[in-house]
Amino acid sequence: MAAGNRKSIRKIVAALVTGTAACAYIMSPAVAYAQASNSNGGAGAVASPVKVKVPDGSKLVLSSNELVYNKDTQIVTASGAVQINYGGYKMVAQKVEYNQKSGRMTAIGNVELISPDGNRMYGDKMDVTDSFSDGFVNALRIEMPDNTRLAAEKGERVGGTQMILTKGVYTACMACSEAGRAPLWQVKAQRVVQNGVTHTVRLEHARFELFGQPIAYVPWIEVPDNTVKRKSGFLFPSVTVSQRLGVGVRVPYYYVISPSMDATVTATGFTNQGLLLEGEFRQRFENGTHILRVAGISQMNPDSFTAGTTDAEHKTRGMISSKADFKINPRWTFGWDVMAQSDNNFSRTYGLEGLNQSTHTNQAYLTGIGKRNFFDMRAFYYNVQDTDDNATAQKQQAYVYPSIDYHYVDPKSVYGGELSATMNFTHLSRDKASVLDNAVNLGDSSLNDRFLGLSGSYTRLSTELQWQRTFTTDEGLVLTPLAAARGDVYGLDMDSPNSLGSSFSYPGNYDSSDYATRGMVTAGLEAKYPFLITTDNSTHVFEPIAQIYVRPDEQLAGRLPNEDAQSFVFDATNLFDRDKFSGFDRIEGGTRANLGWRYTASFDSGYKLQHIFGQSYQLAGRNSFATDDLAAAGAESGLETSRSDYVTMFGLTTPQGISLSTSYRFDEKDFAFRRGDTSVGFSNDVFQTSLIYTHIAAQPQYGFTSNQDEIQSRAQIKFKEYWSVFGTVSYDLNSNEITRQGVGLSYEDECTIFSISFLDKKDTTASSASDWSIGARLTFRTLGDVNLGSVQDATF
């Protein structure tokens, strides 16, 4: 290497590296016009800025084939495989020139600059001034760490505040391997102006291209650059299609109010019903968030809905909701989620996201979690969304204010065992009784009516103490004795089921007094004898289990309201539970034994097995599952006989991607199939599928006079590198009809996601605006989404 004035060379090279890096910083915000919506509705920047800051004391390393200093022209030239490392910046070029007279320096030939944060800038020629406030780069190409790319014929810095790119091209797609082939999508603009004062990027004469063909043109658009986290402006529009609403075009506008507040106002025009206006206001506090939403429409064609429904009978419709979540400290949180609407089906009909469930739970809560205890207090009310203009189901819902749960485990050992306490307090009221009249609904007066909820109010306080300790004998027998004591106090002001009219009848002796108390003590013992079997390539654990619980009969069984213990399914998951009822309003009584086994196996080849089998026995006392109950809890459950039905479950997973899970209940006399689910699945890189078969034997007491058998299936096939086809179908074997079917097509690569689907489902509640829907979604990475309806229901 020829050597000259080393001090000048060091100055030249340092200026060159820092200057070109400054140019990279100047231009990197220009790609911010490719924006992606963030969680609060604003736009997030695509690339982080390249800050030109070389640490003090950094050593410069320069290498080249030749270094020449011309004293006459005062030009220093480094040529031939030039490499410069300085302060974390790296640059390579074929030649670097510095003119001391003009103060300009130039890197020429296959120039590449890598900044410390990973950004790469390429160019045939890079030219920046010594002061770095003005300069330009020819044949510019920039690669960001997130694989976004920007190319331009020329980049010029003007006045130290603006960067102007001429004929810029932006894309988030990988470069095509085929020479001359355009990426899947790209955005071209005649001029891109980045303003360092307003922190905006202005694209002039922008053209969006897909598969190399222009599909959209925008005269100009201005968006925030990457230094701005949020910026007011229009977001991507979306389109919906439904049977009775028609085609809907949704246009949202995002507005920044303050650093902690923003809002989104959305207008959706439906061809059949007119203009739907929505507003969402969001505010973030130091310890939580609050979201307020409103929506409303004046339907221009309510007659398109079924006559007599709430959709058809209400012209002006609206909704307001509030949702909040706050942290008092690391252990305590409180919040609420409430909604009020003009009629009982508005949010569901118009598909308001997060509010369109068939039943929306309005609630306020306070929750605390400690190392050994848990507290939860909440008040709630169920908003049933259906098309009944009389809102009958809505009036039958209970107001719960409040329900309090507390659980505590003593950190100290008590007689060598664990002592725990559980408490529940519930107060609720209901305006209208909810009764399933079997004589009317099923045409069978021999069946008892089911009283799902009585009108009036009730209050209950339940407390329970439990102690248990585990012993292991030298032979490996595991013994767990248990003792529990529980007490309940009721305050009752509910109408008797026999006071609702002569058409209803309840065979149980309902307690019409104002107060009631009951208690329960339990002594139990669980014995397990696990066997561990190992082979050269597998491990097996076989565990016989026997339990016995001795207790008196359930007091006031069937004489008290049942509000929280109505849902009950006997299967292998609750076979070994001490109390199999789902809530506090019922409690198991009498002496009961549970017998069965648990088996697990693991093979070195990747196969895994799980199995449970067993049966429950009522040994003495009155069977709580065979006693009268207002909601018929326990009836036809498989536990109402002294010897229960058999329950079993089996699970299998294989390294080939196959999975199998089953849960069955068989009759205790003839092994008749009473209830069960079978799920089979397979998954690999090309094919995914699942098949679920559900069987429930006839349960007249619950309103099902015939067997229920349904098959559900989903599948997705990847037939090319980025293309997949998917579908779903549900078939009712008893009625021989398809209750749900859908099909779709999807494309997904590193920069684009596209899905389109069709879904047709039978809505038994008749609570939606249509039975079929079409959905499509087109996502451009870093740009945003374009939606047509929703494809979530039909995707695999």
Side-chain angles (χ1 to χ4, degrees), residues 47-48 118 159 207 429 513 531 574 581 591 610 618 706 728 748 751:
S48 59
R207 185 174 72 249
S429 66
S513 59
F531 294 90
N574 56 18
F581 282 113
T591 299
Q610 290 181 317
Q618 186 74 24
S706 60
T728 179
E748 181 174 356
C751 64

Side-chain angles (χ1 to χ4, degrees), residues 274-295:
L275 183 65
L276 172 71
L277 293 178
E278 300 175 66
E280 181 173 328
F281 170 80
R282 297 168 292 269
Q283 185 170 10
R284 181 175 293 276
F285 302 88
E286 290 184 1
N287 63 337
T289 59
H290 174 239
I291 301 175
L292 177 67
R293 296 177 62 182
V294 295

Side-chain angles (χ1 to χ4, degrees), residues 435-438 440 449 451 497-506:
V435 185
L436 179 61
D437 189 345
N438 286 323
V440 174
D449 298 323
F451 299 84
N498 295 316
S499 67
L500 301 179
S502 58
S503 61
F504 301 116
S505 63
Y506 177 59

Side-chain angles (χ1 to χ4, degrees), residues 9 61 96 158 197 249 282 293 354 393 536 591 605 628 737:
I9 293 173
V61 179
V96 174
V158 178
V197 177
V249 179
R282 297 168 292 269
R293 296 177 62 182
D536 292 339
T591 299
S605 58
D628 292 325
E737 65 176 345

Side-chain angles (χ1 to χ4, degrees), residues 6 68 125 158 227 279 285 291 331 369 400 405 509 516 545 601 609 642 658 684 701 708 725 733 765:
R6 291 183 176 272
V68 177
K125 182 179 181 180
V158 178
T227 63
F285 302 88
I291 301 175
R331 294 187 176 183
I369 301 177
V400 182
D405 287 286
N509 184 19
I545 302 174
L609 298 175
S642 59
I658 299 174
N684 61 19
Q701 190 64 53
Q708 299 178 74
V725 61
L733 296 174
T765 63

Side-chain angles (χ1 to χ4, degrees), residues 1-15:
M1 173 188 295
N5 190 327
R6 291 183 176 272
K7 185 176 180 180
S8 297
I9 293 173
R10 182 179 180 87
K11 177 183 176 182
I12 295 166
V13 176

